[in-house]
Tab-separated table of all heavy atoms in Angstrom:
chain	number	residue	atom	x	y	z
A	1	ASP	N	-2.182	-3.330	-5.456
A	1	ASP	CA	-1.153	-2.564	-6.157
A	1	ASP	C	-0.836	-3.147	-7.532
A	1	ASP	O	-0.532	-2.411	-8.474
A	1	ASP	CB	0.128	-2.503	-5.323
A	1	ASP	CG	-0.004	-1.623	-4.100
A	1	ASP	OD1	-0.924	-0.774	-4.068
A	1	ASP	OD2	0.812	-1.770	-3.174
A	2	SER	N	-0.923	-4.451	-7.657
A	2	SER	CA	-0.558	-5.119	-8.891
A	2	SER	C	-1.508	-4.823	-10.053
A	2	SER	O	-1.152	-5.048	-11.212
A	2	SER	CB	-0.479	-6.632	-8.681
A	2	SER	OG	-1.721	-7.146	-8.238
A	3	VAL	N	-2.710	-4.316	-9.751
A	3	VAL	CA	-3.690	-4.077	-10.809
A	3	VAL	C	-4.112	-2.623	-10.928
A	3	VAL	O	-4.899	-2.285	-11.820
A	3	VAL	CB	-4.948	-4.954	-10.626
A	3	VAL	CG1	-4.565	-6.420	-10.500
A	3	VAL	CG2	-5.753	-4.505	-9.414
A	4	LYS	N	-3.593	-1.764	-10.078
A	4	LYS	CA	-3.959	-0.355	-10.124
A	4	LYS	C	-3.625	0.255	-11.480
A	4	LYS	O	-2.555	0.042	-12.023
A	4	LYS	CB	-3.240	0.421	-9.017
A	4	LYS	CG	-3.803	0.195	-7.640
A	4	LYS	CD	-3.078	1.037	-6.594
A	4	LYS	CE	-3.682	0.830	-5.220
A	4	LYS	NZ	-2.953	1.600	-4.180
A	5	GLY	N	-4.571	1.001	-12.006
A	5	GLY	CA	-4.395	1.617	-13.308
A	5	GLY	C	-4.784	0.739	-14.465
A	5	GLY	O	-4.891	1.227	-15.594
A	6	ARG	N	-4.996	-0.547	-14.211
A	6	ARG	CA	-5.354	-1.486	-15.272
A	6	ARG	C	-6.754	-2.055	-15.107
A	6	ARG	O	-7.440	-2.305	-16.098
A	6	ARG	CB	-4.351	-2.639	-15.327
A	6	ARG	CG	-2.918	-2.194	-15.598
A	6	ARG	CD	-1.999	-3.390	-15.840
A	6	ARG	NE	-1.911	-4.269	-14.677
A	6	ARG	CZ	-2.273	-5.553	-14.686
A	6	ARG	NH1	-2.744	-6.107	-15.799
A	6	ARG	NH2	-2.145	-6.285	-13.584
A	7	PHE	N	-7.175	-2.273	-13.867
A	7	PHE	CA	-8.486	-2.857	-13.579
A	7	PHE	C	-9.421	-1.797	-13.022
A	7	PHE	O	-8.996	-0.883	-12.309
A	7	PHE	CB	-8.370	-3.985	-12.554
A	7	PHE	CG	-7.682	-5.233	-13.050
A	7	PHE	CD1	-7.000	-5.261	-14.256
A	7	PHE	CD2	-7.730	-6.388	-12.287
A	7	PHE	CE1	-6.370	-6.414	-14.701
A	7	PHE	CE2	-7.109	-7.546	-12.718
A	7	PHE	CZ	-6.428	-7.559	-13.916
A	8	THR	N	-10.707	-1.939	-13.316
A	8	THR	CA	-11.723	-1.051	-12.785
A	8	THR	C	-12.917	-1.862	-12.303
A	8	THR	O	-13.470	-2.664	-13.057
A	8	THR	CB	-12.206	-0.040	-13.839
A	8	THR	OG1	-11.098	0.731	-14.322
A	8	THR	CG2	-13.231	0.915	-13.226
A	9	ILE	N	-13.300	-1.656	-11.055
A	9	ILE	CA	-14.458	-2.337	-10.501
A	9	ILE	C	-15.637	-1.375	-10.462
A	9	ILE	O	-15.472	-0.187	-10.202
A	9	ILE	CB	-14.159	-2.899	-9.091
A	9	ILE	CG1	-15.310	-3.778	-8.596
A	9	ILE	CG2	-13.859	-1.774	-8.102
A	9	ILE	CD1	-14.982	-4.531	-7.308
A	10	SER	N	-16.820	-1.884	-10.734
A	10	SER	CA	-18.028	-1.076	-10.687
A	10	SER	C	-19.197	-1.951	-10.253
A	10	SER	O	-19.096	-3.178	-10.246
A	10	SER	CB	-18.312	-0.424	-12.047
A	10	SER	OG	-18.510	-1.400	-13.049
A	11	ARG	N	-20.309	-1.320	-9.895
A	11	ARG	CA	-21.472	-2.084	-9.462
A	11	ARG	C	-22.754	-1.387	-9.859
A	11	ARG	O	-22.784	-0.176	-10.096
A	11	ARG	CB	-21.442	-2.303	-7.944
A	11	ARG	CG	-21.545	-1.021	-7.128
A	11	ARG	CD	-21.303	-1.288	-5.644
A	11	ARG	NE	-22.418	-1.987	-5.024
A	11	ARG	CZ	-22.379	-2.514	-3.796
A	11	ARG	NH1	-21.260	-2.434	-3.073
A	11	ARG	NH2	-23.445	-3.118	-3.309
A	12	ASP	N	-23.810	-2.164	-9.923
A	12	ASP	CA	-25.150	-1.667	-10.179
A	12	ASP	C	-26.010	-2.153	-9.022
A	12	ASP	O	-26.387	-3.320	-8.973
A	12	ASP	CB	-25.676	-2.177	-11.517
A	12	ASP	CG	-27.012	-1.561	-11.892
A	12	ASP	OD1	-27.783	-1.188	-11.001
A	12	ASP	OD2	-27.288	-1.456	-13.104
A	13	ASN	N	-26.300	-1.272	-8.096
A	13	ASN	CA	-27.040	-1.662	-6.903
A	13	ASN	C	-28.468	-2.110	-7.216
A	13	ASN	O	-29.026	-2.953	-6.517
A	13	ASN	CB	-27.067	-0.509	-5.903
A	13	ASN	CG	-25.709	-0.216	-5.309
A	13	ASN	OD1	-24.856	-1.104	-5.216
A	13	ASN	ND2	-25.486	1.023	-4.892
A	14	ALA	N	-29.068	-1.536	-8.243
A	14	ALA	CA	-30.430	-1.904	-8.605
A	14	ALA	C	-30.506	-3.331	-9.139
A	14	ALA	O	-31.517	-4.009	-8.967
A	14	ALA	CB	-30.987	-0.933	-9.641
A	15	LYS	N	-29.432	-3.788	-9.781
A	15	LYS	CA	-29.405	-5.124	-10.365
A	15	LYS	C	-28.607	-6.122	-9.547
A	15	LYS	O	-28.524	-7.292	-9.921
A	15	LYS	CB	-28.840	-5.065	-11.783
A	15	LYS	CG	-29.688	-4.264	-12.752
A	15	LYS	CD	-29.090	-4.288	-14.150
A	15	LYS	CE	-29.961	-3.537	-15.137
A	15	LYS	NZ	-29.398	-3.567	-16.508
A	16	ASN	N	-28.001	-5.678	-8.455
A	16	ASN	CA	-27.166	-6.540	-7.614
A	16	ASN	C	-26.048	-7.199	-8.414
A	16	ASN	O	-25.815	-8.404	-8.317
A	16	ASN	CB	-28.017	-7.608	-6.917
A	16	ASN	CG	-28.944	-7.021	-5.877
A	16	ASN	OD1	-28.624	-6.019	-5.237
A	16	ASN	ND2	-30.101	-7.646	-5.700
A	17	THR	N	-25.374	-6.399	-9.206
A	17	THR	CA	-24.272	-6.903	-10.007
A	17	THR	C	-22.998	-6.117	-9.740
A	17	THR	O	-23.040	-4.957	-9.334
A	17	THR	CB	-24.582	-6.836	-11.510
A	17	THR	OG1	-24.838	-5.472	-11.890
A	17	THR	CG2	-25.791	-7.693	-11.856
A	18	VAL	N	-21.874	-6.760	-9.996
A	18	VAL	CA	-20.571	-6.123	-9.903
A	18	VAL	C	-19.746	-6.589	-11.091
A	18	VAL	O	-19.853	-7.743	-11.515
A	18	VAL	CB	-19.871	-6.457	-8.568
A	18	VAL	CG1	-19.611	-7.955	-8.431
A	18	VAL	CG2	-18.577	-5.669	-8.424
A	19	THR	N	-18.961	-5.693	-11.647
A	19	THR	CA	-18.143	-6.020	-12.804
A	19	THR	C	-16.696	-5.662	-12.545
A	19	THR	O	-16.381	-4.832	-11.697
A	19	THR	CB	-18.623	-5.285	-14.066
A	19	THR	OG1	-18.457	-3.869	-13.894
A	19	THR	CG2	-20.086	-5.578	-14.348
A	20	LEU	N	-15.817	-6.311	-13.288
A	20	LEU	CA	-14.391	-6.015	-13.232
A	20	LEU	C	-13.885	-5.883	-14.658
A	20	LEU	O	-13.812	-6.878	-15.386
A	20	LEU	CB	-13.631	-7.117	-12.499
A	20	LEU	CG	-12.138	-6.860	-12.288
A	20	LEU	CD1	-11.933	-5.715	-11.296
A	20	LEU	CD2	-11.434	-8.114	-11.787
A	21	GLN	N	-13.567	-4.665	-15.052
A	21	GLN	CA	-12.979	-4.408	-16.355
A	21	GLN	C	-11.471	-4.548	-16.232
A	21	GLN	O	-10.840	-3.828	-15.458
A	21	GLN	CB	-13.344	-3.013	-16.851
A	21	GLN	CG	-12.734	-2.639	-18.196
A	21	GLN	CD	-13.254	-3.481	-19.330
A	21	GLN	OE1	-14.465	-3.697	-19.447
A	21	GLN	NE2	-12.347	-3.976	-20.167
A	22	MET	N	-10.893	-5.459	-16.999
A	22	MET	CA	-9.474	-5.746	-16.921
A	22	MET	C	-8.810	-5.367	-18.242
A	22	MET	O	-9.114	-5.951	-19.283
A	22	MET	CB	-9.228	-7.222	-16.611
A	22	MET	CG	-9.940	-7.704	-15.349
A	22	MET	SD	-9.507	-9.410	-14.916
A	22	MET	CE	-10.208	-10.279	-16.320
A	23	ASN	N	-7.915	-4.398	-18.192
A	23	ASN	CA	-7.191	-3.943	-19.365
A	23	ASN	C	-5.702	-4.211	-19.202
A	23	ASN	O	-5.213	-4.445	-18.101
A	23	ASN	CB	-7.423	-2.448	-19.594
A	23	ASN	CG	-8.870	-2.101	-19.844
A	23	ASN	OD1	-9.609	-2.860	-20.462
A	23	ASN	ND2	-9.283	-0.922	-19.371
A	24	SER	N	-4.980	-4.147	-20.308
A	24	SER	CA	-3.529	-4.345	-20.302
A	24	SER	C	-3.147	-5.597	-19.527
A	24	SER	O	-2.252	-5.582	-18.673
A	24	SER	CB	-2.835	-3.111	-19.707
A	24	SER	OG	-3.147	-1.945	-20.433
A	25	LEU	N	-3.804	-6.681	-19.833
A	25	LEU	CA	-3.597	-7.920	-19.087
A	25	LEU	C	-2.200	-8.482	-19.281
A	25	LEU	O	-1.608	-8.386	-20.359
A	25	LEU	CB	-4.641	-8.951	-19.501
A	25	LEU	CG	-6.034	-8.698	-18.908
A	25	LEU	CD1	-7.090	-9.477	-19.673
A	25	LEU	CD2	-6.052	-9.083	-17.431
A	26	LYS	N	-1.690	-9.068	-18.213
A	26	LYS	CA	-0.366	-9.664	-18.185
A	26	LYS	C	-0.473	-11.147	-17.881
A	26	LYS	O	-1.455	-11.592	-17.280
A	26	LYS	CB	0.490	-8.987	-17.108
A	26	LYS	CG	0.612	-7.482	-17.244
A	26	LYS	CD	1.375	-6.895	-16.063
A	26	LYS	CE	1.496	-5.394	-16.179
A	26	LYS	NZ	2.234	-4.818	-15.013
A	27	PRO	N	0.526	-11.931	-18.264
A	27	PRO	CA	0.489	-13.365	-17.951
A	27	PRO	C	0.302	-13.634	-16.454
A	27	PRO	O	-0.352	-14.620	-16.095
A	27	PRO	CB	1.848	-13.865	-18.441
A	27	PRO	CG	2.180	-12.954	-19.567
A	27	PRO	CD	1.674	-11.602	-19.133
A	28	GLU	N	0.854	-12.788	-15.605
A	28	GLU	CA	0.715	-12.983	-14.173
A	28	GLU	C	-0.697	-12.723	-13.658
A	28	GLU	O	-0.986	-12.969	-12.488
A	28	GLU	CB	1.718	-12.118	-13.394
A	28	GLU	CG	1.733	-10.666	-13.818
A	28	GLU	CD	2.838	-10.356	-14.809
A	28	GLU	OE1	3.017	-11.144	-15.762
A	28	GLU	OE2	3.535	-9.332	-14.631
A	29	ASP	N	-1.581	-12.225	-14.516
A	29	ASP	CA	-2.984	-12.072	-14.148
A	29	ASP	C	-3.755	-13.382	-14.284
A	29	ASP	O	-4.922	-13.455	-13.891
A	29	ASP	CB	-3.661	-11.005	-15.006
A	29	ASP	CG	-3.108	-9.614	-14.761
A	29	ASP	OD1	-2.862	-9.263	-13.589
A	29	ASP	OD2	-2.935	-8.870	-15.743
A	30	THR	N	-3.134	-14.389	-14.855
A	30	THR	CA	-3.772	-15.687	-15.018
A	30	THR	C	-4.157	-16.265	-13.661
A	30	THR	O	-3.322	-16.406	-12.771
A	30	THR	CB	-2.844	-16.656	-15.748
A	30	THR	OG1	-2.588	-16.169	-17.069
A	30	THR	CG2	-3.472	-18.043	-15.842
A	31	ALA	N	-5.432	-16.583	-13.510
A	31	ALA	CA	-5.942	-17.094	-12.241
A	31	ALA	C	-7.423	-17.408	-12.388
A	31	ALA	O	-8.047	-17.071	-13.393
A	31	ALA	CB	-5.740	-16.063	-11.123
A	32	VAL	N	-7.966	-18.047	-11.371
A	32	VAL	CA	-9.410	-18.163	-11.245
A	32	VAL	C	-9.883	-16.954	-10.460
A	32	VAL	O	-9.368	-16.673	-9.374
A	32	VAL	CB	-9.826	-19.463	-10.535
A	32	VAL	CG1	-11.344	-19.497	-10.342
A	32	VAL	CG2	-9.372	-20.668	-11.340
A	33	TYR	N	-10.842	-16.245	-11.002
A	33	TYR	CA	-11.347	-15.034	-10.381
A	33	TYR	C	-12.682	-15.309	-9.710
A	33	TYR	O	-13.580	-15.914	-10.297
A	33	TYR	CB	-11.498	-13.922	-11.417
A	33	TYR	CG	-10.180	-13.306	-11.817
A	33	TYR	CD1	-9.267	-14.012	-12.594
A	33	TYR	CD2	-9.840	-12.017	-11.401
A	33	TYR	CE1	-8.046	-13.464	-12.943
A	33	TYR	CE2	-8.624	-11.461	-11.751
A	33	TYR	CZ	-7.732	-12.180	-12.520
A	33	TYR	OH	-6.517	-11.630	-12.872
A	34	TYR	N	-12.804	-14.853	-8.472
A	34	TYR	CA	-13.989	-15.100	-7.665
A	34	TYR	C	-14.674	-13.794	-7.290
A	34	TYR	O	-14.013	-12.832	-6.883
A	34	TYR	CB	-13.633	-15.835	-6.377
A	34	TYR	CG	-13.029	-17.198	-6.578
A	34	TYR	CD1	-11.656	-17.357	-6.700
A	34	TYR	CD2	-13.833	-18.331	-6.635
A	34	TYR	CE1	-11.091	-18.602	-6.881
A	34	TYR	CE2	-13.277	-19.579	-6.814
A	34	TYR	CZ	-11.904	-19.710	-6.934
A	34	TYR	OH	-11.355	-20.961	-7.105
A	35	CYS	N	-15.973	-13.789	-7.405
A	35	CYS	CA	-16.789	-12.669	-6.961
A	35	CYS	C	-17.222	-12.903	-5.518
A	35	CYS	O	-17.494	-14.043	-5.121
A	35	CYS	CB	-18.016	-12.541	-7.871
A	35	CYS	SG	-19.281	-11.378	-7.309
A	36	ASN	N	-17.277	-11.857	-4.729
A	36	ASN	CA	-17.801	-11.983	-3.377
A	36	ASN	C	-18.676	-10.793	-3.028
A	36	ASN	O	-18.529	-9.711	-3.590
A	36	ASN	CB	-16.669	-12.152	-2.348
A	36	ASN	CG	-15.823	-10.906	-2.191
A	36	ASN	OD1	-14.910	-10.663	-2.977
A	36	ASN	ND2	-16.115	-10.111	-1.159
């Protein structure tokens, strides 16, 4: 809920990649981000 409308996740199955587009970032978004 805290990131809805601001973050967008997508993937490319052919390349085995995933991305996270982060917009309108806030100080509370500060963190270490992990892919799984």
Side-chain angles (χ1 to χ4, degrees):
D1 289 341
S2 59
V3 306
K4 285 182 178 178
R6 300 188 298 120
F7 290 11
T8 302
I9 188 171
S10 61
R11 64 188 288 170
D12 186 332
N13 292 333
K15 296 182 178 181
N16 292 328
T17 60
V18 62
T19 64
L20 184 68
Q21 178 66 46
M22 305 186 295
N23 299 325
S24 302
L25 284 163
K26 304 175 180 179
E28 50 263 45
D29 294 319
T30 297
V32 176
Y33 284 71
Y34 298 90
C35 170
N36 68 277

